[in-house]
Amino acid sequence: MDKKLRKLAMAFAMVIMIGFAGNALASKEVRFVYVPWTCVTVKTEVAQFFLNELGYDVSSMLLSVPIAYQALASDQADIFLGNWMPTMQSIAEPHFKSGKVESFSVIMENAKYTLAVPTYAYEGGLRDFSDIAKYGEKLEYKIYGIEEGNDGNEVIELMINENMFNLGNFELIPSSETAMLTQVQNFARNQQWIVFLGWSPHWMNKIIDMSYLTGSDETTFGGNDGTATVYINIRTGFDQEQPNVAAFLNNFLVPIAMVNEAMNMLHEDSAMEPLEAGLAWLRANPEIYRGWMDGVTTADGQPALPVIEAAMAK
């Protein structure tokens, strides 16, 4: 082989080696997307912690719900841990049907997501969706939601726009999670009536004396009075590209007790971080994270549990 051909062969070999190296690096990349809800933040940061300890290159992006799905569908993200169903169906279903996003596994069962009121309003007669319009004046014809683009807000807007439950005269008041709950607490101090978007797990259920309304149906917050199942969604093909991460996600069933306690800790201690709160609960309940490691390895193929036990002991 002459010098020119040898140089070409060496250059080609270098390109191949760089390509393999790039693929190896890419195989350790895991990209989460999450939304500004404390429960989703806790779960996402805990999952990131474990995957980082297992040797993966983990990143995350904070987005609104619709943009989170666009990120998954356009290969800008791999995993979303906050698909609350059935209320998120109108946003998620088009991406499932496109074949670009998959509902992968359950992450949390028996959650709650629907309209709520302070218990004094519930005891005063506002107990069902059909009761809201009766007390329009006391409610100032307002229903309080969370951030713009949220699926719960979309359900409320649908109810208003379609005059469901005679709510055509009502107005949705969008806000952040924190601002909405501050408003609810302010109203409660003065025994003012308010209808707001409530969910569990969340510290609101401990701090606010509140009751969930009955009467939702399949077109609103679901036929089981807002009882929800939360799913992990992934970019289509991610589980084949990352079978070990997929094994971890398949095991990653998060107890409501963990999220409730973590959120209570965060509410009581403003200096505490979501990851710190989640890990504190897991250290007291190690059987949960040990179950998450069943059949999982490090990114380099070593047993996962010894690595995680060492990390949790720090």
Side-chain angles (χ1 to χ4, degrees):
M1 183 184 295
D2 62 29
K3 288 183 179 180
K4 190 172 183 179
L5 285 174
R6 190 178 297 114
K7 286 181 179 180
L8 285 170
M10 289 177 64
F12 184 70
M14 286 294 291
V15 169
I16 298 265
M17 290 173 65
I18 290 169
F20 280 128
N23 288 339
L25 284 172
S27 70
K28 294 186 178 182
E29 184 181 25
V30 180
R31 303 166 299 171
F32 284 87
V33 64
Y34 69 110
V35 292
W37 309 338
T38 312
C39 59
V40 178
T41 301
V42 169
K43 290 181 289 185
T44 302
E45 292 197 5
V46 166
Q48 286 184 253
F49 170 82
F50 284 111
L51 290 173
N52 271 320
E53 292 296 330
L54 294 177
Y56 289 93
D57 178 17
V58 187
S59 61
S60 61
M61 293 186 291
L62 175 62
L63 300 171
S64 68
V65 172
I67 304 303
Y69 276 97
Q70 290 177 23
L72 290 172
S74 60
D75 193 17
Q76 302 300 307
D78 304 309
I79 306 167
F80 177 48
L81 303 181
N83 174 218
W84 285 63
M85 296 295 273
T87 57
M88 210 173 276
Q89 183 151 355
S90 64
I91 295 175
E93 192 65 29
H95 295 287
F96 297 157
K97 287 183 176 178
S98 75
K100 295 181 179 180
V101 180
E102 295 181 9
S103 185
F104 181 70
S105 62
V106 172
I107 189 172
M108 195 164 63
E109 298 175 304
N110 297 315
K112 194 82 168 176
Y113 193 47
T114 187
L115 297 180
V117 296
T119 297
Y120 56 80
Y122 187 87
E123 292 174 346
L126 180 41
R127 301 184 177 188
D128 189 272
F129 281 27
S130 62
D131 296 325
I132 298 173
K134 298 177 190 176
Y135 300 101
E137 289 188 12
K138 290 177 74 72
L139 297 166
E140 297 180 340
Y141 294 95
K142 294 176 181 177
I143 299 175
Y144 289 79
I146 49 178
E147 77 278 353
E148 296 276 4
N150 172 268
D151 56 296
N153 285 13
E154 288 198 353
V155 171
I156 296 168
E157 287 181 328
L158 174 68
M159 292 164 66
I160 293 170
N161 292 338
E162 299 294 327
N163 196 29
M164 298 170 68
F165 309 102
N166 295 315
L167 295 177
N169 292 326
F170 277 73
E171 175 188 6
L172 168 67
I173 308 298
S175 184
S176 67
E177 171 188 321
T178 302
M180 181 199 73
L181 293 174
T182 298
Q183 183 81 317
V184 173
Q185 290 177 288
N186 289 339
F187 272 49
R189 289 188 191 98
N190 299 312
Q191 297 284 293
Q192 291 176 263
W193 285 34
I194 183 172
V195 176
F196 61 96
L197 194 55
W199 62 93
S200 175
H202 196 277
W203 59 260
M204 73 174 83
N205 298 276
K206 181 177 180 180
I207 302 302
I208 301 170
D209 186 5
M210 57 184 278
S211 298
Y212 291 97
L213 300 183
T214 59
S216 67
D217 57 27
E218 296 299 337
T219 62
T220 56
F221 291 95
N224 196 17
D225 292 328
T227 300
T229 301
V230 187
Y231 293 87
I232 296 173
N233 291 170
I234 60 171
R235 170 180 57 81
T236 297
F238 177 75
D239 53 334
Q240 280 80 41
E241 298 166 17
Q242 297 275 24
N244 186 57
V245 177
F248 167 72
L249 294 175
N250 198 51
N251 294 341
F252 195 54
L253 186 63
V254 175
I256 283 183
M258 170 187 152
V259 182
N260 263 332
E261 184 57 32
M263 295 175 81
N264 287 335
M265 285 189 272
L266 291 168
H267 179 68
E268 292 170 1
D269 182 357
S270 60
M272 181 174 277
E273 296 295 329
L275 176 61
E276 184 183 359
L279 293 183
W281 189 91
L282 287 167
R283 288 189 175 103
N285 299 271
E287 70 281 0
I288 299 299
Y289 73 76
R290 288 169 184 162
W292 293 345
M293 295 302 116
D294 186 24
V296 178
T297 69
T298 66
D300 296 326
Q302 301 303 308
L305 188 55
V307 173
I308 295 303
E309 293 283 23
M312 294 296 283
K314 293 178 183 176

